PDB file of all heavy atoms in Angstrom:
ATOM      1  N   ALA A   1       0.844  -1.220   0.004  1.00 95.00           N
ATOM      2  CA  ALA A   1      -0.014  -0.001   0.007  1.00 95.00           C
ATOM      3  C   ALA A   1       0.848   1.240   0.000  1.00 95.00           C
ATOM      4  O   ALA A   1       0.554   2.246  -0.683  1.00 95.00           O
ATOM      5  CB  ALA A   1      -0.928  -0.011   1.222  1.00 95.00           C
ATOM      6  N   CYS A   2       1.950   1.229   0.768  1.00 96.00           N
ATOM      7  CA  CYS A   2       2.860   2.381   0.868  1.00 96.00           C
ATOM      8  C   CYS A   2       3.482   2.670  -0.512  1.00 96.00           C
ATOM      9  O   CYS A   2       3.504   3.857  -0.954  1.00 96.00           O
ATOM     10  CB  CYS A   2       3.921   2.115   1.899  1.00 96.00           C
ATOM     11  SG  CYS A   2       5.122   3.452   2.059  1.00 96.00           S
ATOM     12  N   LYS A   3       3.971   1.649  -1.190  1.00 96.00           N
ATOM     13  CA  LYS A   3       4.608   1.869  -2.474  1.00 96.00           C
ATOM     14  C   LYS A   3       3.612   2.317  -3.533  1.00 96.00           C
ATOM     15  O   LYS A   3       3.888   3.230  -4.319  1.00 96.00           O
ATOM     16  CB  LYS A   3       5.341   0.573  -2.932  1.00 96.00           C
ATOM     17  CG  LYS A   3       6.263   0.860  -4.125  1.00 96.00           C
ATOM     18  CD  LYS A   3       7.362  -0.163  -4.255  1.00 96.00           C
ATOM     19  CE  LYS A   3       8.380   0.227  -5.309  1.00 96.00           C
ATOM     20  NZ  LYS A   3       9.479  -0.688  -5.443  1.00 96.00           N
ATOM     21  N   GLN A   4       2.428   1.709  -3.524  1.00 96.00           N
ATOM     22  CA  GLN A   4       1.400   2.086  -4.499  1.00 96.00           C
ATOM     23  C   GLN A   4       0.938   3.530  -4.261  1.00 96.00           C
ATOM     24  O   GLN A   4       0.764   4.299  -5.241  1.00 96.00           O
ATOM     25  CB  GLN A   4       0.168   1.139  -4.375  1.00 96.00           C
ATOM     26  CG  GLN A   4       0.437  -0.220  -4.964  1.00 96.00           C
ATOM     27  CD  GLN A   4      -0.746  -1.153  -4.831  1.00 96.00           C
ATOM     28  OE1 GLN A   4      -1.722  -0.858  -4.140  1.00 96.00           O
ATOM     29  NE2 GLN A   4      -0.644  -2.317  -5.485  1.00 96.00           N
ATOM     30  N   ALA A   5       0.817   3.952  -2.998  1.00 95.00           N
ATOM     31  CA  ALA A   5       0.421   5.324  -2.698  1.00 95.00           C
ATOM     32  C   ALA A   5       1.508   6.308  -3.042  1.00 95.00           C
ATOM     33  O   ALA A   5       1.210   7.428  -3.520  1.00 95.00           O
ATOM     34  CB  ALA A   5       0.047   5.444  -1.190  1.00 95.00           C
ATOM     35  N   SER A   6       2.747   5.912  -2.856  1.00 95.00           N
ATOM     36  CA  SER A   6       3.856   6.843  -3.146  1.00 95.00           C
ATOM     37  C   SER A   6       4.032   7.135  -4.647  1.00 95.00           C
ATOM     38  O   SER A   6       4.614   8.126  -5.024  1.00 95.00           O
ATOM     39  CB  SER A   6       5.171   6.271  -2.579  1.00 95.00           C
ATOM     40  OG  SER A   6       5.605   5.132  -3.323  1.00 95.00           O
ATOM     41  N   TYR A   7       3.467   6.249  -5.471  1.00 95.00           N
ATOM     42  CA  TYR A   7       3.517   6.480  -6.922  1.00 95.00           C
ATOM     43  C   TYR A   7       2.198   7.028  -7.482  1.00 95.00           C
ATOM     44  O   TYR A   7       1.993   7.033  -8.686  1.00 95.00           O
ATOM     45  CB  TYR A   7       3.873   5.143  -7.662  1.00 95.00           C
ATOM     46  CG  TYR A   7       5.397   4.922  -7.634  1.00 95.00           C
ATOM     47  CD1 TYR A   7       5.991   4.231  -6.584  1.00 95.00           C
ATOM     48  CD2 TYR A   7       6.206   5.360  -8.665  1.00 95.00           C
ATOM     49  CE1 TYR A   7       7.353   3.989  -6.577  1.00 95.00           C
ATOM     50  CE2 TYR A   7       7.574   5.158  -8.666  1.00 95.00           C
ATOM     51  CZ  TYR A   7       8.133   4.488  -7.620  1.00 95.00           C
ATOM     52  OH  TYR A   7       9.512   4.262  -7.594  1.00 95.00           O
ATOM     53  N   HIS A   8       1.318   7.492  -6.603  1.00 93.00           N
ATOM     54  CA  HIS A   8       0.066   8.121  -7.037  1.00 93.00           C
ATOM     55  C   HIS A   8       0.386   9.361  -7.826  1.00 93.00           C
ATOM     56  O   HIS A   8       1.317  10.092  -7.457  1.00 93.00           O
ATOM     57  CB  HIS A   8      -0.782   8.464  -5.805  1.00 93.00           C
ATOM     58  CG  HIS A   8      -2.190   8.833  -6.113  1.00 93.00           C
ATOM     59  ND1 HIS A   8      -2.535  10.123  -6.480  1.00 93.00           N
ATOM     60  CD2 HIS A   8      -3.326   8.107  -6.178  1.00 93.00           C
ATOM     61  CE1 HIS A   8      -3.840  10.157  -6.714  1.00 93.00           C
ATOM     62  NE2 HIS A   8      -4.344   8.949  -6.531  1.00 93.00           N
ATOM     63  N   PRO A   9      -0.339   9.632  -8.912  1.00 92.00           N
ATOM     64  CA  PRO A   9      -0.061  10.783  -9.761  1.00 92.00           C
ATOM     65  C   PRO A   9       0.025  12.112  -9.044  1.00 92.00           C
ATOM     66  O   PRO A   9       0.760  13.020  -9.443  1.00 92.00           O
ATOM     67  CB  PRO A   9      -1.233  10.807 -10.765  1.00 92.00           C
ATOM     68  CG  PRO A   9      -1.768   9.415 -10.758  1.00 92.00           C
ATOM     69  CD  PRO A   9      -1.502   8.863  -9.413  1.00 92.00           C
ATOM     70  N   ASP A  10      -0.720  12.269  -7.946  1.00 91.00           N
ATOM     71  CA  ASP A  10      -0.739  13.539  -7.198  1.00 91.00           C
ATOM     72  C   ASP A  10       0.436  13.706  -6.225  1.00 91.00           C
ATOM     73  O   ASP A  10       0.566  14.736  -5.579  1.00 91.00           O
ATOM     74  CB  ASP A  10      -2.039  13.677  -6.412  1.00 91.00           C
ATOM     75  CG  ASP A  10      -3.257  13.764  -7.325  1.00 91.00           C
ATOM     76  OD1 ASP A  10      -3.082  14.060  -8.512  1.00 91.00           O
ATOM     77  OD2 ASP A  10      -4.379  13.472  -6.851  1.00 91.00           O
ATOM     78  N   VAL A  11       1.261  12.660  -6.134  1.00 90.00           N
ATOM     79  CA  VAL A  11       2.365  12.679  -5.132  1.00 90.00           C
ATOM     80  C   VAL A  11       3.633  13.179  -5.789  1.00 90.00           C
ATOM     81  O   VAL A  11       4.053  12.705  -6.865  1.00 90.00           O
ATOM     82  CB  VAL A  11       2.562  11.235  -4.545  1.00 90.00           C
ATOM     83  CG1 VAL A  11       3.836  11.189  -3.697  1.00 90.00           C
ATOM     84  CG2 VAL A  11       1.336  10.803  -3.751  1.00 90.00           C
ATOM     85  N   SER A  12       4.240  14.176  -5.110  1.00 93.00           N
ATOM     86  CA  SER A  12       5.501  14.731  -5.645  1.00 93.00           C
ATOM     87  C   SER A  12       6.685  13.807  -5.395  1.00 93.00           C
ATOM     88  O   SER A  12       6.588  12.893  -4.566  1.00 93.00           O
ATOM     89  CB  SER A  12       5.800  16.075  -4.981  1.00 93.00           C
ATOM     90  OG  SER A  12       6.107  15.866  -3.641  1.00 93.00           O
ATOM     91  N   LYS A  13       7.797  14.055  -6.065  1.00 93.00           N
ATOM     92  CA  LYS A  13       9.007  13.197  -5.901  1.00 93.00           C
ATOM     93  C   LYS A  13       9.491  13.241  -4.462  1.00 93.00           C
ATOM     94  O   LYS A  13       9.913  12.254  -3.896  1.00 93.00           O
ATOM     95  CB  LYS A  13      10.069  13.676  -6.839  1.00 93.00           C
ATOM     96  CG  LYS A  13      10.226  12.781  -8.066  1.00 93.00           C
ATOM     97  CD  LYS A  13      11.493  13.131  -8.841  1.00 93.00           C
ATOM     98  CE  LYS A  13      11.699  12.091  -9.970  1.00 93.00           C
ATOM     99  NZ  LYS A  13      12.915  12.375 -10.759  1.00 93.00           N
ATOM    100  N   GLU A  14       9.425  14.448  -3.879  1.00 95.00           N
ATOM    101  CA  GLU A  14       9.896  14.599  -2.507  1.00 95.00           C
ATOM    102  C   GLU A  14       9.050  13.810  -1.517  1.00 95.00           C
ATOM    103  O   GLU A  14       9.586  13.123  -0.651  1.00 95.00           O
ATOM    104  CB  GLU A  14       9.883  16.110  -2.138  1.00 95.00           C
ATOM    105  CG  GLU A  14      10.496  16.445  -0.815  1.00 95.00           C
ATOM    106  CD  GLU A  14       9.761  17.482   0.005  1.00 95.00           C
ATOM    107  OE1 GLU A  14       8.907  18.214  -0.599  1.00 95.00           O
ATOM    108  OE2 GLU A  14       9.977  17.556   1.177  1.00 95.00           O
ATOM    109  N   VAL A  15       7.738  13.905  -1.663  1.00 94.00           N
ATOM    110  CA  VAL A  15       6.832  13.184  -0.801  1.00 94.00           C
ATOM    111  C   VAL A  15       6.981  11.647  -0.989  1.00 94.00           C
ATOM    112  O   VAL A  15       6.996  10.890  -0.045  1.00 94.00           O
ATOM    113  CB  VAL A  15       5.387  13.629  -1.007  1.00 94.00           C
ATOM    114  CG1 VAL A  15       4.407  12.731  -0.238  1.00 94.00           C
ATOM    115  CG2 VAL A  15       5.184  15.074  -0.603  1.00 94.00           C
ATOM    116  N   ARG A  16       7.185  11.257  -2.274  1.00 95.00           N
ATOM    117  CA  ARG A  16       7.391   9.827  -2.553  1.00 95.00           C
ATOM    118  C   ARG A  16       8.622   9.327  -1.807  1.00 95.00           C
ATOM    119  O   ARG A  16       8.567   8.274  -1.197  1.00 95.00           O
ATOM    120  CB  ARG A  16       7.573   9.644  -4.042  1.00 95.00           C
ATOM    121  CG  ARG A  16       7.860   8.142  -4.403  1.00 95.00           C
ATOM    122  CD  ARG A  16       8.207   7.974  -5.882  1.00 95.00           C
ATOM    123  NE  ARG A  16       7.094   8.471  -6.680  1.00 95.00           N
ATOM    124  CZ  ARG A  16       7.213   8.893  -7.937  1.00 95.00           C
ATOM    125  NH1 ARG A  16       8.430   8.898  -8.514  1.00 95.00           N
ATOM    126  NH2 ARG A  16       6.159   9.315  -8.630  1.00 95.00           N
ATOM    127  N   GLY A  17       9.705  10.097  -1.887  1.00 96.00           N
ATOM    128  CA  GLY A  17      10.930   9.702  -1.221  1.00 96.00           C
ATOM    129  C   GLY A  17      10.721   9.527   0.284  1.00 96.00           C
ATOM    130  O   GLY A  17      11.220   8.583   0.874  1.00 96.00           O
ATOM    131  N   ARG A  18       9.973  10.451   0.876  1.00 96.00           N
ATOM    132  CA  ARG A  18       9.712  10.401   2.342  1.00 96.00           C
ATOM    133  C   ARG A  18       8.835   9.189   2.650  1.00 96.00           C
ATOM    134  O   ARG A  18       9.093   8.491   3.662  1.00 96.00           O
ATOM    135  CB  ARG A  18       9.064  11.683   2.789  1.00 96.00           C
ATOM    136  CG  ARG A  18      10.071  12.846   2.944  1.00 96.00           C
ATOM    137  CD  ARG A  18       9.382  14.183   3.109  1.00 96.00           C
ATOM    138  NE  ARG A  18       8.466  14.232   4.212  1.00 96.00           N
ATOM    139  CZ  ARG A  18       7.428  15.077   4.324  1.00 96.00           C
ATOM    140  NH1 ARG A  18       7.251  15.960   3.395  1.00 96.00           N
ATOM    141  NH2 ARG A  18       6.681  15.059   5.380  1.00 96.00           N
ATOM    142  N   ALA A  19       7.841   8.944   1.802  1.00 94.00           N
ATOM    143  CA  ALA A  19       6.923   7.813   2.050  1.00 94.00           C
ATOM    144  C   ALA A  19       7.705   6.501   2.019  1.00 94.00           C
ATOM    145  O   ALA A  19       7.540   5.654   2.894  1.00 94.00           O
ATOM    146  CB  ALA A  19       5.773   7.796   1.059  1.00 94.00           C
ATOM    147  N   LEU A  20       8.543   6.363   0.978  1.00 96.00           N
ATOM    148  CA  LEU A  20       9.324   5.123   0.884  1.00 96.00           C
ATOM    149  C   LEU A  20      10.315   4.966   2.016  1.00 96.00           C
ATOM    150  O   LEU A  20      10.552   3.872   2.508  1.00 96.00           O
ATOM    151  CB  LEU A  20      10.053   5.127  -0.485  1.00 96.00           C
ATOM    152  CG  LEU A  20       9.155   5.048  -1.728  1.00 96.00           C
ATOM    153  CD1 LEU A  20       9.962   5.213  -2.998  1.00 96.00           C
ATOM    154  CD2 LEU A  20       8.376   3.757  -1.780  1.00 96.00           C
ATOM    155  N   HIS A  21      10.874   6.110   2.424  1.00 97.00           N
ATOM    156  CA  HIS A  21      11.842   6.087   3.575  1.00 97.00           C
ATOM    157  C   HIS A  21      11.146   5.600   4.857  1.00 97.00           C
ATOM    158  O   HIS A  21      11.647   4.729   5.551  1.00 97.00           O
ATOM    159  CB  HIS A  21      12.379   7.494   3.794  1.00 97.00           C
ATOM    160  CG  HIS A  21      13.136   7.653   5.071  1.00 97.00           C
ATOM    161  ND1 HIS A  21      14.395   7.114   5.287  1.00 97.00           N
ATOM    162  CD2 HIS A  21      12.768   8.300   6.264  1.00 97.00           C
ATOM    163  CE1 HIS A  21      14.795   7.384   6.541  1.00 97.00           C
ATOM    164  NE2 HIS A  21      13.813   8.072   7.130  1.00 97.00           N
ATOM    165  N   PHE A  22       9.939   6.148   5.147  1.00 96.00           N
ATOM    166  CA  PHE A  22       9.259   5.777   6.365  1.00 96.00           C
ATOM    167  C   PHE A  22       8.665   4.353   6.271  1.00 96.00           C
ATOM    168  O   PHE A  22       8.542   3.710   7.307  1.00 96.00           O
ATOM    169  CB  PHE A  22       8.183   6.791   6.718  1.00 96.00           C
ATOM    170  CG  PHE A  22       8.786   8.113   7.253  1.00 96.00           C
ATOM    171  CD1 PHE A  22       8.562   9.300   6.579  1.00 96.00           C
ATOM    172  CD2 PHE A  22       9.572   8.121   8.369  1.00 96.00           C
ATOM    173  CE1 PHE A  22       9.134  10.471   7.034  1.00 96.00           C
ATOM    174  CE2 PHE A  22      10.131   9.266   8.846  1.00 96.00           C
ATOM    175  CZ  PHE A  22       9.944  10.491   8.182  1.00 96.00           C
ATOM    176  N   GLY A  23       8.339   3.915   5.083  1.00 96.00           N
ATOM    177  CA  GLY A  23       7.901   2.531   4.912  1.00 96.00           C
ATOM    178  C   GLY A  23       9.028   1.582   5.283  1.00 96.00           C
ATOM    179  O   GLY A  23       8.817   0.571   5.969  1.00 96.00           O
ATOM    180  N   THR A  24      10.240   1.916   4.862  1.00 97.00           N
ATOM    181  CA  THR A  24      11.419   1.125   5.232  1.00 97.00           C
ATOM    182  C   THR A  24      11.683   1.191   6.718  1.00 97.00           C
ATOM    183  O   THR A  24      11.942   0.126   7.376  1.00 97.00           O
ATOM    184  CB  THR A  24      12.666   1.662   4.454  1.00 97.00           C
ATOM    185  OG1 THR A  24      12.452   1.460   3.038  1.00 97.00           O
ATOM    186  CG2 THR A  24      13.932   0.936   4.881  1.00 97.00           C
ATOM    187  N   GLU A  25      11.629   2.418   7.282  1.00 97.00           N
ATOM    188  CA  GLU A  25      11.901   2.570   8.704  1.00 97.00           C
ATOM    189  C   GLU A  25      10.922   1.767   9.578  1.00 97.00           C
ATOM    190  O   GLU A  25      11.288   1.120  10.579  1.00 97.00           O
ATOM    191  CB  GLU A  25      11.819   4.042   9.101  1.00 97.00           C
ATOM    192  CG  GLU A  25      12.996   4.892   8.585  1.00 97.00           C
ATOM    193  CD  GLU A  25      14.306   4.488   9.202  1.00 97.00           C
ATOM    194  OE1 GLU A  25      14.455   4.632  10.410  1.00 97.00           O
ATOM    195  OE2 GLU A  25      15.202   4.021   8.430  1.00 97.00           O
ATOM    196  N   CYS A  26       9.654   1.816   9.169  1.00 97.00           N
ATOM    197  CA  CYS A  26       8.607   1.065   9.891  1.00 97.00           C
ATOM    198  C   CYS A  26       8.898  -0.433   9.858  1.00 97.00           C
ATOM    199  O   CYS A  26       8.799  -1.111  10.896  1.00 97.00           O
ATOM    200  CB  CYS A  26       7.270   1.373   9.251  1.00 97.00           C
ATOM    201  SG  CYS A  26       5.886   0.411   9.988  1.00 97.00           S
TER     202      CYS A  26
END
């Protein structure tokens, strides 16, 4: 869900990077 959401068309590159980072941290 995290990866799919991070690649949503409305998500910026910066937000994607943060989402993927926190998915990893979690």
Side-chain angles (χ1 to χ4, degrees):
C2 178
K3 192 157 188 178
Q4 286 179 352
S6 70
Y7 278 88
H8 191 275
D10 296 341
V11 172
S12 68
K13 257 191 173 180
E14 187 219 343
V15 173
R16 177 186 302 156
R18 281 167 57 203
L20 295 173
H21 168 74
F22 287 118
T24 296
E25 289 295 298
C26 176

